[in-house]
Amino acid sequence: MIMDDAKKIMNEYDRIIKRQDDLYHDYASKFGLSDISFWILYVLCESDKVYTQNQIADLWHFPRQSINSAVSSLAKQGYISLEKLSAGNSKAIKLTEDGRDFCGRVIDPVFELEERAALKMTDEERKMFVKLSERLCDLLEEEFKQTFPEE
């Protein structure tokens, strides 16, 4: 019985995560963005920190090739530029002026609606949500590693 309850809860949680992914996907599509292009712009608009493609891939758990394709597309659209860093072959991804304007129109409203939604929860609920989500992810990762050990 406990196992069935856990299975039902995980199934419901997975549907919620998929629903949330769909919300962002539908929004990105309205502006002609792939999901990964949207998240790259999201990261770049979020802070003034300099990111490389590999850093974004690691931070957001996207395949490197997908990041590479999305970066290429965003550069062709004129939203980002790549600047060689002093060390190694890595290049910094930077927003262009057009990219900053686009972020102001498309990405910044997402930050605002996310904040409005989060502020409808209490401070305690927000902290608990993040803490429990991270705990579940850590436990899932542990289970995957135990069940499917790397060779």
Side-chain angles (χ1 to χ4, degrees):
M1 187 68 151
I2 292 174
M3 189 80 135
D4 287 342
D5 288 344
K7 186 176 181 178
K8 286 178 186 176
I9 287 171
M10 286 307 303
N11 199 306
E12 184 176 341
Y13 177 76
D14 290 340
R15 283 194 307 272
I16 291 167
I17 294 298
K18 178 63 176 125
R19 180 177 161 211
Q20 184 174 328
D21 285 347
D22 286 348
L23 290 171
Y24 287 99
H25 170 80
D26 291 346
Y27 182 81
S29 294
K30 288 180 185 186
F31 297 96
L33 295 171
S34 68
D35 293 359
I36 294 179
S37 292
F38 170 83
W39 290 111
I40 289 169
L41 291 173
Y42 185 99
V43 169
L44 296 175
C45 295
E46 182 181 39
S47 77
D48 292 331
K49 185 177 176 193
V50 174
Y51 289 98
T52 65
Q53 292 182 58
N54 287 343
Q55 288 171 325
I56 292 176
D58 292 343
L59 183 66
W60 286 84
H61 304 276
F62 286 123
R64 287 183 179 358
Q65 183 57 43
S66 299
I67 292 287
N68 190 352
S69 296
V71 163
S72 178
S73 175
L74 290 169
K76 285 178 187 169
Q77 291 173 292
Y79 296 143
I80 63 170
S81 64
L82 297 171
E83 297 180 14
K84 188 164 174 54
L85 293 173
S86 57
N89 288 341
S90 295
K91 293 182 181 177
I93 305 170
K94 299 221 174 164
L95 289 170
T96 62
E97 190 63 40
D98 286 346
R100 281 189 288 280
D101 290 344
F102 187 77
C103 282
R105 292 188 327 273
V106 175
I107 307 299
D108 289 348
V110 173
F111 293 141
E112 293 167 13
L113 71 86
E114 288 174 332
E115 184 176 9
R116 285 194 312 268
L119 287 172
K120 290 179 180 176
M121 299 166 74
T122 66
D123 186 53
E124 183 179 334
E125 287 173 326
R126 287 189 300 272
K127 288 176 181 173
M128 187 184 317
F129 169 75
V130 171
K131 184 176 182 175
L132 291 175
S133 296
E134 184 172 29
R135 173 131 169 84
L136 177 59
C137 191
D138 290 345
L139 292 170
L140 282 169
E141 183 176 38
E142 181 181 303
E143 288 295 326
F144 270 99
K145 285 180 179 177
Q146 286 177 5
T147 306
F148 307 104
E150 294 181 26
E151 312 230 347

